[in-house]
Amino acid sequence: METPGQIPHGPGHARRVYDSIFELLPDVDNPTPLVRVRRLNPSDRFDLFAKLEWYNPFGSVKDRAAWAMLRRLEEEGQVNERRGIVEPTSGNTGLSLAAMAGARGYRMRAVVPNKVPAEKKLLLKIVGAELDVVSDELCPAPGLGDGSINLAKTHARAQADRYAMPNQYENPANVEAHYRTTGPEIWRQTEGRITHLFVSLGTCGTVTGTGRFLKEKNPRIRIVAVQPTPGHDVPGLRNVEQLAVSKLFDPSLIDDLLEIDFELAYHRALDLCRQEGLLAGPSSGLILEGARRIIERDREGLGVMIFPDNVFKYTTNLAKHARELREGLEPPR
């Protein structure tokens, strides 16, 4: 029985009162929201939804993998007050890990490519991460020798008493997080009626874990992976040519693999902001463009797009790719 005037302990999704920020992490009973996309959907016979992953407590889809990897390190006794974490990151996983580690009392060192937006680098420092900024254009860029992953591995080997490395590119907990949470959430939210899943490629934990769960529920569900063109600057994404660094990609799950001009990622993100009220980042814009192309082909179905994060960490990049955003920011002379 609850004591009068006392706030009950444990996850309180009905009351939205929690003992810890970690209780806000999503699962099938507390999913991130699905929101219908209307004006940018090219077919009135196709139900299109965006799964808004920026509703995760630390701001992106990477909260799921970060928490699973951190919990595994804790269960194995690999982190404590003296031994923290080192991880290569394009921003989101590092941000999630750094914020979580700080709240659990561990240090975090993030190895970050220089091309990551300034907003992400600053946010990493705000949540307490030590930063190593390297010359990788992407995270990581294959064949660059001492790139992001190799430098992080060097720290983990040379200072094993100070750092454990989760390694989001190889850690099966990354996949398991989405198999246990993202997939079941979508299945329940759509009442099993989903016909298409639209997702981007990065570490590939999201597409592999979510796709595997949904395929087990219904093998006819189409898994659509969207990749940017080579030479892109959409942080966190990569095309198949860059996937050698990830051990988590399972091509047998993919029904359609689309390559989209990366410039469209930014313009479609603006469309989402201006026409749907969805303040989505460029990776979401890329996914939307891929979804539109499949919808124009298939015409009927129910699709879910996994939108990884919001636009606020990409304002500098958006201003670079959309000239009109740079106009009118200063008073006339």
Side-chain angles (χ1 to χ4, degrees):
M1 181 179 296
E2 296 174 7
T3 303
Q6 182 179 17
I7 296 175
H9 291 282
H13 301 313
R15 296 182 181 88
R16 302 291 285 174
V17 176
Y18 301 91
D19 282 339
S20 162
I21 189 66
F22 297 102
E23 292 178 358
L24 278 170
L25 287 161
D27 58 33
V28 72
D29 295 316
N30 182 42
T32 55
L34 287 189
V35 175
R36 187 184 295 274
V37 171
R38 296 183 181 276
R39 298 183 66 194
L40 295 172
N41 181 355
S43 173
D44 59 9
R45 300 194 306 276
F46 196 107
D47 294 319
L48 182 62
F49 293 89
K51 189 162 178 63
L52 307 186
E53 288 296 293
W54 59 83
Y55 277 78
N56 279 283
F58 304 101
S60 82
V61 68
K62 295 298 188 179
D63 282 10
R64 299 176 186 267
W67 181 235
M69 293 189 296
L70 182 60
R71 290 294 293 143
R72 178 165 293 186
L73 289 176
E74 289 180 334
E75 291 164 2
E76 294 171 351
Q78 294 195 48
V79 288
N80 51 49
E81 293 178 353
R82 297 175 302 281
R83 190 174 193 237
I85 295 168
V86 61
E87 182 74 358
T89 177
S90 59
N92 280 335
T93 304
L95 182 60
S96 298
L97 278 171
M100 292 176 184
R104 307 287 276 192
Y106 319 131
R107 74 168 62 87
M108 165 74 183
R109 187 169 191 167
V111 184
V112 182
N114 188 47
K115 206 167 185 178
V116 165
E119 296 94 328
K120 283 191 173 183
K121 296 176 195 172
L122 185 57
L123 281 167
L124 281 162
K125 297 191 75 172
I126 286 171
V127 296
E130 308 166 46
L131 238 59
D132 286 336
V133 180
V134 297
S135 59
D136 283 12
E137 290 191 351
L138 298 170
C139 182
L144 286 185
D146 292 332
S148 314
I149 282 184
N150 287 334
L151 182 55
K153 286 181 175 178
T154 297
H155 287 315
R157 285 193 301 265
Q159 303 179 72
D161 59 329
R162 286 176 56 85
Y163 298 114
M165 182 177 167
N167 196 350
Q168 60 186 304
Y169 302 98
E170 301 181 14
N171 196 325
N174 185 347
V175 173
E176 291 164 13
H178 296 283
Y179 184 87
R180 288 187 296 100
T181 65
T182 318
E185 288 172 35
I186 291 170
W187 184 254
R188 178 186 283 189
Q189 286 174 302
T190 63
E191 299 177 320
R193 295 185 298 118
I194 179 173
T195 61
H196 296 68
L197 177 74
F198 302 102
V199 64
S200 56
L201 300 177
T203 64
C204 297
T206 303
V207 66
T208 300
T210 310
R212 186 171 292 160
F213 177 88
L214 292 175
K215 286 283 194 182
E216 288 177 5
K217 287 293 187 180
N218 179 0
R220 294 187 301 275
I221 294 172
R222 298 195 70 83
I223 308 300
V224 182
V226 185
Q227 59 176 333
T229 46
H232 70 91
D233 69 343
V234 186
L237 298 193
R238 52 192 47 81
N239 52 40
V240 171
E241 294 177 0
Q242 301 161 329
L243 285 182
V245 299
S246 176
K247 303 295 191 294
L248 308 179
F249 182 52
D250 183 355
S252 70
L253 294 170
I254 309 300
D255 296 291
D256 294 285
L257 179 62
L258 305 183
E259 184 175 278
I260 306 293
D261 184 347
F262 76 89
E263 291 282 353
L264 278 172
Y266 291 96
H267 294 291
R268 287 299 184 210
L270 283 178
D271 289 340
L272 285 162
C273 293
R274 293 170 173 176
Q275 297 186 47
E276 298 285 351
L278 297 176
L279 303 184
S283 55
S284 302
L286 196 81
I287 293 166
L288 171 66
E289 177 61 24
R292 284 168 56 89
R293 296 185 186 188
I294 294 296
I295 292 170
E296 288 172 349
R297 182 193 73 187
D298 294 352
R299 303 310 299 174
E300 296 182 2
L302 189 156
V304 173
M305 304 178 290
I306 297 182
F307 280 7
D309 60 2
N310 64 29
V311 73
F312 298 118
K313 287 173 279 193
Y314 305 96
T315 55
T316 301
N317 279 33
L318 269 167
K320 173 184 171 183
H321 290 278
R323 182 183 300 275
E324 73 270 18
L325 295 179
R326 303 195 295 271
E327 299 171 356
L329 296 178
E330 302 291 340
R333 294 182 180 178

